[in-house]
mmCIF file of all heavy atoms in Angstrom:
data_model
loop_
_atom_site.group_PDB
_atom_site.id
_atom_site.type_symbol
_atom_site.label_atom_id
_atom_site.label_comp_id
_atom_site.label_asym_id
_atom_site.label_seq_id
_atom_site.Cartn_x
_atom_site.Cartn_y
_atom_site.Cartn_z
ATOM 1 N N ALA A 1 -0.467 5.223 -11.309
ATOM 2 C CA ALA A 1 -1.611 4.435 -11.566
ATOM 3 C C ALA A 1 -1.294 3.380 -12.618
ATOM 4 O O ALA A 1 -0.608 3.616 -13.674
ATOM 5 C CB ALA A 1 -2.723 5.328 -12.098
ATOM 6 N N GLY A 2 -1.796 2.168 -12.371
ATOM 7 C CA GLY A 2 -1.561 1.087 -13.342
ATOM 8 C C GLY A 2 -2.760 0.858 -14.310
ATOM 9 O O GLY A 2 -3.120 1.847 -15.003
ATOM 10 N N ALA A 3 -3.391 -0.301 -14.253
ATOM 11 C CA ALA A 3 -4.482 -0.602 -15.119
ATOM 12 C C ALA A 3 -5.703 0.120 -14.727
ATOM 13 O O ALA A 3 -5.876 0.579 -13.587
ATOM 14 C CB ALA A 3 -4.670 -2.095 -15.123
ATOM 15 N N ARG A 4 -6.660 0.350 -15.733
ATOM 16 C CA ARG A 4 -7.920 0.944 -15.521
ATOM 17 C C ARG A 4 -8.670 0.168 -14.375
ATOM 18 O O ARG A 4 -8.603 -1.033 -14.366
ATOM 19 C CB ARG A 4 -8.702 0.926 -16.833
ATOM 20 C CG ARG A 4 -10.121 1.459 -16.706
ATOM 21 C CD ARG A 4 -10.867 1.173 -18.072
ATOM 22 N NE ARG A 4 -11.004 -0.231 -18.275
ATOM 23 C CZ ARG A 4 -11.985 -0.979 -17.787
ATOM 24 N NH1 ARG A 4 -12.906 -0.472 -17.076
ATOM 25 N NH2 ARG A 4 -12.001 -2.242 -18.103
ATOM 26 N N GLY A 5 -9.417 0.916 -13.598
ATOM 27 C CA GLY A 5 -10.183 0.266 -12.566
ATOM 28 C C GLY A 5 -10.354 1.133 -11.335
ATOM 29 O O GLY A 5 -9.965 2.343 -11.343
ATOM 30 N N VAL A 6 -10.902 0.566 -10.259
ATOM 31 C CA VAL A 6 -11.148 1.282 -8.973
ATOM 32 C C VAL A 6 -10.260 0.602 -7.942
ATOM 33 O O VAL A 6 -10.404 -0.563 -7.682
ATOM 34 C CB VAL A 6 -12.593 1.291 -8.564
ATOM 35 C CG1 VAL A 6 -12.840 2.001 -7.299
ATOM 36 C CG2 VAL A 6 -13.436 1.924 -9.711
ATOM 37 N N VAL A 7 -9.359 1.448 -7.264
ATOM 38 C CA VAL A 7 -8.505 0.926 -6.258
ATOM 39 C C VAL A 7 -9.068 1.396 -4.892
ATOM 40 O O VAL A 7 -9.061 2.566 -4.577
ATOM 41 C CB VAL A 7 -7.030 1.444 -6.422
ATOM 42 C CG1 VAL A 7 -6.149 0.911 -5.395
ATOM 43 C CG2 VAL A 7 -6.546 1.094 -7.834
ATOM 44 N N ALA A 8 -9.527 0.371 -4.150
ATOM 45 C CA ALA A 8 -10.090 0.659 -2.808
ATOM 46 C C ALA A 8 -9.141 0.431 -1.726
ATOM 47 O O ALA A 8 -9.294 0.978 -0.615
ATOM 48 C CB ALA A 8 -11.330 -0.159 -2.610
ATOM 49 N N THR A 9 -8.137 -0.394 -1.918
ATOM 50 C CA THR A 9 -7.142 -0.729 -0.869
ATOM 51 C C THR A 9 -5.708 -0.654 -1.431
ATOM 52 O O THR A 9 -5.410 -1.088 -2.537
ATOM 53 C CB THR A 9 -7.416 -2.236 -0.430
ATOM 54 O OG1 THR A 9 -8.803 -2.291 0.076
ATOM 55 C CG2 THR A 9 -6.460 -2.600 0.702
ATOM 56 N N LEU A 10 -4.841 -0.080 -0.614
ATOM 57 C CA LEU A 10 -3.422 0.035 -0.958
ATOM 58 C C LEU A 10 -2.615 -0.961 -0.121
ATOM 59 O O LEU A 10 -2.960 -1.277 0.979
ATOM 60 C CB LEU A 10 -2.838 1.406 -0.562
ATOM 61 C CG LEU A 10 -3.269 2.630 -1.468
ATOM 62 C CD1 LEU A 10 -2.641 3.901 -0.985
ATOM 63 C CD2 LEU A 10 -3.025 2.343 -2.928
ATOM 64 N N THR A 11 -1.605 -1.613 -0.696
ATOM 65 C CA THR A 11 -0.724 -2.513 -0.021
ATOM 66 C C THR A 11 0.605 -1.770 0.297
ATOM 67 O O THR A 11 1.300 -1.338 -0.553
ATOM 68 C CB THR A 11 -0.429 -3.720 -0.844
ATOM 69 O OG1 THR A 11 -1.662 -4.409 -1.168
ATOM 70 C CG2 THR A 11 0.494 -4.701 -0.139
ATOM 71 N N LEU A 12 0.758 -1.639 1.609
ATOM 72 C CA LEU A 12 2.090 -0.937 2.034
ATOM 73 C C LEU A 12 2.757 -1.862 3.047
ATOM 74 O O LEU A 12 2.222 -2.734 3.701
ATOM 75 C CB LEU A 12 1.746 0.300 2.801
ATOM 76 C CG LEU A 12 0.921 1.344 2.047
ATOM 77 C CD1 LEU A 12 0.543 2.546 2.903
ATOM 78 C CD2 LEU A 12 1.735 1.883 0.868
ATOM 79 N N ALA A 13 4.161 -1.789 3.065
ATOM 80 C CA ALA A 13 4.980 -2.566 3.939
ATOM 81 C C ALA A 13 5.555 -1.684 5.021
ATOM 82 O O ALA A 13 5.933 -0.502 4.763
ATOM 83 C CB ALA A 13 6.126 -3.243 3.142
ATOM 84 N N VAL A 14 5.582 -2.182 6.226
ATOM 85 C CA VAL A 14 6.184 -1.473 7.424
ATOM 86 C C VAL A 14 7.375 -2.234 7.884
ATOM 87 O O VAL A 14 7.294 -3.476 8.096
ATOM 88 C CB VAL A 14 5.140 -1.380 8.548
ATOM 89 C CG1 VAL A 14 5.795 -0.663 9.675
ATOM 90 C CG2 VAL A 14 3.955 -0.602 8.105
ATOM 91 N N ARG A 15 8.568 -1.586 7.958
ATOM 92 C CA ARG A 15 9.694 -2.209 8.368
ATOM 93 C C ARG A 15 10.347 -1.595 9.611
ATOM 94 O O ARG A 15 10.292 -0.390 9.772
ATOM 95 C CB ARG A 15 10.809 -2.070 7.181
ATOM 96 C CG ARG A 15 10.482 -2.939 6.013
ATOM 97 C CD ARG A 15 11.531 -2.747 4.943
ATOM 98 N NE ARG A 15 11.148 -3.569 3.738
ATOM 99 C CZ ARG A 15 11.789 -3.426 2.534
ATOM 100 N NH1 ARG A 15 12.762 -2.501 2.420
ATOM 101 N NH2 ARG A 15 11.353 -4.157 1.530
ATOM 102 N N SER A 16 10.860 -2.427 10.497
ATOM 103 C CA SER A 16 11.502 -2.006 11.694
ATOM 104 C C SER A 16 12.776 -2.837 11.886
ATOM 105 O O SER A 16 12.882 -3.980 11.590
ATOM 106 C CB SER A 16 10.606 -2.343 12.966
ATOM 107 O OG SER A 16 11.331 -2.094 14.149
ATOM 108 N N ARG A 17 13.862 -2.066 12.348
ATOM 109 C CA ARG A 17 15.181 -2.648 12.583
ATOM 110 C C ARG A 17 15.439 -2.924 14.100
ATOM 111 O O ARG A 17 16.541 -3.064 14.472
ATOM 112 C CB ARG A 17 16.259 -1.802 11.975
ATOM 113 C CG ARG A 17 16.133 -1.598 10.493
ATOM 114 C CD ARG A 17 17.334 -0.904 9.897
ATOM 115 N NE ARG A 17 18.565 -1.674 10.097
ATOM 116 C CZ ARG A 17 19.712 -1.187 9.816
ATOM 117 N NH1 ARG A 17 19.865 0.026 9.292
ATOM 118 N NH2 ARG A 17 20.824 -1.940 9.922
ATOM 119 N N GLY A 18 14.322 -3.023 14.864
ATOM 120 C CA GLY A 18 14.479 -3.327 16.267
ATOM 121 C C GLY A 18 15.199 -2.235 17.025
ATOM 122 O O GLY A 18 15.288 -1.060 16.603
ATOM 123 N N LEU A 19 15.804 -2.647 18.180
ATOM 124 C CA LEU A 19 16.458 -1.623 19.038
ATOM 125 C C LEU A 19 17.886 -1.386 18.681
ATOM 126 O O LEU A 19 18.368 -0.301 18.779
ATOM 127 C CB LEU A 19 16.407 -2.141 20.523
ATOM 128 C CG LEU A 19 15.066 -2.234 21.159
ATOM 129 C CD1 LEU A 19 15.174 -2.851 22.572
ATOM 130 C CD2 LEU A 19 14.329 -0.861 21.264
ATOM 131 N N CYS A 20 18.559 -2.399 18.216
ATOM 132 C CA CYS A 20 19.952 -2.331 17.886
ATOM 133 C C CYS A 20 20.215 -2.419 16.362
ATOM 134 O O CYS A 20 21.406 -2.268 15.926
ATOM 135 C CB CYS A 20 20.755 -3.388 18.603
ATOM 136 S SG CYS A 20 20.528 -3.446 20.373
ATOM 137 N N GLY A 21 19.199 -2.619 15.539
ATOM 138 C CA GLY A 21 19.481 -2.689 14.115
ATOM 139 C C GLY A 21 20.041 -4.032 13.703
ATOM 140 O O GLY A 21 20.624 -4.091 12.612
ATOM 141 N N LEU A 22 19.870 -5.028 14.474
ATOM 142 C CA LEU A 22 20.408 -6.305 14.147
ATOM 143 C C LEU A 22 19.504 -7.110 13.255
ATOM 144 O O LEU A 22 19.979 -7.959 12.455
ATOM 145 C CB LEU A 22 20.795 -7.116 15.412
ATOM 146 C CG LEU A 22 21.773 -6.501 16.354
ATOM 147 C CD1 LEU A 22 21.960 -7.339 17.574
ATOM 148 C CD2 LEU A 22 23.070 -6.272 15.684
ATOM 149 N N VAL A 23 18.208 -6.954 13.437
ATOM 150 C CA VAL A 23 17.260 -7.768 12.618
ATOM 151 C C VAL A 23 16.236 -6.783 12.066
ATOM 152 O O VAL A 23 15.691 -5.924 12.725
ATOM 153 C CB VAL A 23 16.472 -8.787 13.507
ATOM 154 C CG1 VAL A 23 15.465 -9.519 12.792
ATOM 155 C CG2 VAL A 23 17.470 -9.770 14.165
ATOM 156 N N THR A 24 15.870 -7.037 10.768
ATOM 157 C CA THR A 24 14.879 -6.257 10.043
ATOM 158 C C THR A 24 13.559 -7.006 9.991
ATOM 159 O O THR A 24 13.605 -8.116 9.420
ATOM 160 C CB THR A 24 15.301 -5.744 8.653
ATOM 161 O OG1 THR A 24 16.517 -4.941 8.802
ATOM 162 C CG2 THR A 24 14.222 -5.011 7.909
ATOM 163 N N CYS A 25 12.517 -6.500 10.466
ATOM 164 C CA CYS A 25 11.183 -7.160 10.406
ATOM 165 C C CYS A 25 10.314 -6.406 9.513
ATOM 166 O O CYS A 25 10.202 -5.131 9.526
ATOM 167 C CB CYS A 25 10.541 -7.187 11.823
ATOM 168 S SG CYS A 25 11.492 -8.176 12.924
ATOM 169 N N THR A 26 9.596 -7.087 8.596
ATOM 170 C CA THR A 26 8.717 -6.451 7.636
ATOM 171 C C THR A 26 7.324 -7.074 7.730
ATOM 172 O O THR A 26 7.197 -8.342 7.744
ATOM 173 C CB THR A 26 9.241 -6.619 6.186
ATOM 174 O OG1 THR A 26 10.577 -6.018 6.063
ATOM 175 C CG2 THR A 26 8.378 -5.914 5.125
ATOM 176 N N ARG A 27 6.368 -6.201 7.812
ATOM 177 C CA ARG A 27 4.942 -6.669 7.830
ATOM 178 C C ARG A 27 4.145 -5.948 6.743
ATOM 179 O O ARG A 27 4.234 -4.667 6.657
ATOM 180 C CB ARG A 27 4.330 -6.484 9.205
ATOM 181 C CG ARG A 27 2.899 -6.950 9.354
ATOM 182 C CD ARG A 27 2.427 -6.905 10.743
ATOM 183 N NE ARG A 27 3.127 -7.870 11.565
ATOM 184 C CZ ARG A 27 2.747 -9.117 11.670
ATOM 185 N NH1 ARG A 27 1.668 -9.591 11.109
ATOM 186 N NH2 ARG A 27 3.412 -9.927 12.472
ATOM 187 N N THR A 28 3.342 -6.762 6.025
ATOM 188 C CA THR A 28 2.485 -6.087 4.978
ATOM 189 C C THR A 28 1.187 -5.658 5.616
ATOM 190 O O THR A 28 0.512 -6.391 6.306
ATOM 191 C CB THR A 28 2.340 -7.051 3.804
ATOM 192 O OG1 THR A 28 3.606 -7.378 3.260
ATOM 193 C CG2 THR A 28 1.398 -6.451 2.740
ATOM 194 N N HIS A 29 0.757 -4.501 5.262
ATOM 195 C CA HIS A 29 -0.506 -3.869 5.663
ATOM 196 C C HIS A 29 -1.361 -3.558 4.403
ATOM 197 O O HIS A 29 -0.882 -3.005 3.497
ATOM 198 C CB HIS A 29 -0.334 -2.615 6.514
ATOM 199 C CG HIS A 29 0.249 -2.876 7.848
ATOM 200 N ND1 HIS A 29 -0.457 -2.807 9.009
ATOM 201 C CD2 HIS A 29 1.565 -3.168 8.215
ATOM 202 C CE1 HIS A 29 0.355 -3.061 10.040
ATOM 203 N NE2 HIS A 29 1.624 -3.239 9.543
ATOM 204 N N HIS A 30 -2.711 -3.922 4.510
ATOM 205 C CA HIS A 30 -3.620 -3.571 3.439
ATOM 206 C C HIS A 30 -4.482 -2.379 4.054
ATOM 207 O O HIS A 30 -5.296 -2.623 4.952
ATOM 208 C CB HIS A 30 -4.482 -4.800 3.109
ATOM 209 C CG HIS A 30 -3.653 -5.990 2.570
ATOM 210 N ND1 HIS A 30 -3.042 -5.986 1.338
ATOM 211 C CD2 HIS A 30 -3.317 -7.099 3.212
ATOM 212 C CE1 HIS A 30 -2.392 -7.116 1.217
ATOM 213 N NE2 HIS A 30 -2.478 -7.845 2.323
ATOM 214 N N VAL A 31 -4.312 -1.254 3.469
ATOM 215 C CA VAL A 31 -4.866 -0.078 3.982
ATOM 216 C C VAL A 31 -6.112 0.313 3.059
ATOM 217 O O VAL A 31 -5.894 0.620 1.834
ATOM 218 C CB VAL A 31 -3.902 1.124 4.015
ATOM 219 C CG1 VAL A 31 -4.576 2.316 4.671
ATOM 220 C CG2 VAL A 31 -2.632 0.683 4.803
ATOM 221 N N ARG A 32 -7.319 0.371 3.642
ATOM 222 C CA ARG A 32 -8.456 0.776 2.848
ATOM 223 C C ARG A 32 -8.599 2.316 2.794
ATOM 224 O O ARG A 32 -8.413 3.029 3.781
ATOM 225 C CB ARG A 32 -9.733 0.178 3.543
ATOM 226 C CG ARG A 32 -10.993 0.395 2.687
ATOM 227 C CD ARG A 32 -12.155 -0.503 3.144
ATOM 228 N NE ARG A 32 -13.271 -0.409 2.251
ATOM 229 C CZ ARG A 32 -13.379 -1.114 1.154
ATOM 230 N NH1 ARG A 32 -12.473 -1.971 0.809
ATOM 231 N NH2 ARG A 32 -14.474 -0.977 0.411
ATOM 232 N N LEU A 33 -8.812 2.764 1.544
ATOM 233 C CA LEU A 33 -8.843 4.194 1.309
ATOM 234 C C LEU A 33 -10.246 4.671 1.684
ATOM 235 O O LEU A 33 -11.262 4.082 1.305
ATOM 236 C CB LEU A 33 -8.552 4.501 -0.134
ATOM 237 C CG LEU A 33 -7.162 4.171 -0.641
ATOM 238 C CD1 LEU A 33 -7.076 4.371 -2.122
ATOM 239 C CD2 LEU A 33 -6.138 4.970 0.107
ATOM 240 N N PRO A 34 -10.354 5.871 2.286
ATOM 241 C CA PRO A 34 -11.717 6.432 2.565
ATOM 242 C C PRO A 34 -12.407 6.781 1.327
ATOM 243 O O PRO A 34 -13.690 6.782 1.261
ATOM 244 C CB PRO A 34 -11.399 7.652 3.475
ATOM 245 C CG PRO A 34 -9.965 7.985 3.140
ATOM 246 C CD PRO A 34 -9.311 6.736 2.892
ATOM 247 N N ARG A 35 -11.658 7.181 0.238
ATOM 248 C CA ARG A 35 -12.259 7.498 -1.050
ATOM 249 C C ARG A 35 -11.396 6.703 -2.032
ATOM 250 O O ARG A 35 -10.212 6.941 -2.186
ATOM 251 C CB ARG A 35 -12.319 8.990 -1.362
ATOM 252 C CG ARG A 35 -12.921 9.241 -2.750
ATOM 253 C CD ARG A 35 -13.138 10.728 -2.964
ATOM 254 N NE ARG A 35 -13.707 10.983 -4.266
ATOM 255 C CZ ARG A 35 -13.935 12.168 -4.762
ATOM 256 N NH1 ARG A 35 -13.761 13.193 -3.961
ATOM 257 N NH2 ARG A 35 -14.463 12.297 -5.971
ATOM 258 N N PRO A 36 -11.996 5.802 -2.802
ATOM 259 C CA PRO A 36 -11.171 5.004 -3.745
ATOM 260 C C PRO A 36 -10.535 5.803 -4.820
ATOM 261 O O PRO A 36 -10.937 6.922 -5.174
ATOM 262 C CB PRO A 36 -12.276 3.992 -4.405
ATOM 263 C CG PRO A 36 -13.404 4.050 -3.456
ATOM 264 C CD PRO A 36 -13.368 5.363 -2.770
ATOM 265 N N LEU A 37 -9.452 5.302 -5.303
ATOM 266 C CA LEU A 37 -8.730 5.849 -6.468
ATOM 267 C C LEU A 37 -9.382 5.298 -7.728
ATOM 268 O O LEU A 37 -9.386 4.116 -7.857
ATOM 269 C CB LEU A 37 -7.235 5.499 -6.408
ATOM 270 C CG LEU A 37 -6.398 5.909 -7.606
ATOM 271 C CD1 LEU A 37 -6.185 7.447 -7.590
ATOM 272 C CD2 LEU A 37 -4.996 5.242 -7.509
ATOM 273 N N GLU A 38 -9.831 6.178 -8.563
ATOM 274 C CA GLU A 38 -10.560 5.789 -9.795
ATOM 275 C C GLU A 38 -9.608 6.025 -10.939
ATOM 276 O O GLU A 38 -9.251 7.199 -11.289
ATOM 277 C CB GLU A 38 -11.884 6.476 -9.971
ATOM 278 C CG GLU A 38 -12.795 6.284 -8.769
ATOM 279 C CD GLU A 38 -14.165 6.687 -8.997
ATOM 280 O OE1 GLU A 38 -14.851 6.056 -9.838
ATOM 281 O OE2 GLU A 38 -14.658 7.613 -8.379
ATOM 282 N N VAL A 39 -9.249 4.937 -11.614
ATOM 283 C CA VAL A 39 -8.261 5.030 -12.748
ATOM 284 C C VAL A 39 -9.018 4.771 -14.124
ATOM 285 O O VAL A 39 -9.452 3.742 -14.359
ATOM 286 C CB VAL A 39 -7.169 3.992 -12.603
ATOM 287 C CG1 VAL A 39 -6.079 4.094 -13.708
ATOM 288 C CG2 VAL A 39 -6.518 4.051 -11.124
ATOM 289 N N GLY A 40 -9.056 5.859 -14.852
ATOM 290 C CA GLY A 40 -9.723 5.796 -16.172
ATOM 291 C C GLY A 40 -8.651 5.339 -17.164
ATOM 292 O O GLY A 40 -7.453 5.365 -16.925
ATOM 293 N N PRO A 41 -9.091 4.938 -18.380
ATOM 294 C CA PRO A 41 -8.115 4.539 -19.420
ATOM 295 C C PRO A 41 -7.483 5.733 -20.069
ATOM 296 O O PRO A 41 -8.095 6.791 -20.150
ATOM 297 C CB PRO A 41 -9.019 3.845 -20.439
ATOM 298 C CG PRO A 41 -10.370 4.486 -20.295
ATOM 299 C CD PRO A 41 -10.514 4.870 -18.831
ATOM 300 N N ARG A 42 -6.302 5.572 -20.517
ATOM 301 C CA ARG A 42 -5.614 6.621 -21.256
ATOM 302 C C ARG A 42 -6.145 6.661 -22.602
ATOM 303 O O ARG A 42 -6.255 5.646 -23.290
ATOM 304 C CB ARG A 42 -4.129 6.420 -21.261
ATOM 305 C CG ARG A 42 -3.344 7.556 -21.883
ATOM 306 C CD ARG A 42 -1.872 7.554 -21.564
ATOM 307 N NE ARG A 42 -1.702 7.911 -20.108
ATOM 308 C CZ ARG A 42 -1.640 9.090 -19.692
ATOM 309 N NH1 ARG A 42 -1.829 10.118 -20.463
ATOM 310 N NH2 ARG A 42 -1.445 9.303 -18.399
ATOM 311 N N PRO A 43 -6.580 7.857 -23.113
ATOM 312 C CA PRO A 43 -7.270 7.895 -24.441
ATOM 313 C C PRO A 43 -6.389 7.345 -25.524
ATOM 314 O O PRO A 43 -5.173 7.583 -25.613
ATOM 315 C CB PRO A 43 -7.588 9.349 -24.619
ATOM 316 C CG PRO A 43 -7.695 9.974 -23.210
ATOM 317 C CD PRO A 43 -6.670 9.127 -22.474
#
């Protein structure tokens, strides 16, 4: 957890190396959480 706040969406990357592993493709996905992550301040 980073800064205080409510995190409703996670950013994840998906990588594939194709059939022969010659080229790596990366696509970013924004995944919405069914229940947000609530980050309170550290006392």
Side-chain angles (χ1 to χ4, degrees):
R4 178 188 63 85
V6 179
V7 180
T9 302
L10 291 180
T11 300
L12 301 174
V14 178
R15 290 178 182 168
S16 171
R17 298 186 65 184
L19 296 176
C20 304
L22 300 178
V23 177
T24 297
C25 297
T26 302
R27 181 173 292 273
T28 300
H29 290 255
H30 302 286
V31 184
R32 188 165 186 83
L33 298 173
R35 181 173 177 180
L37 175 69
E38 302 193 68
V39 183
R42 185 161 291 279

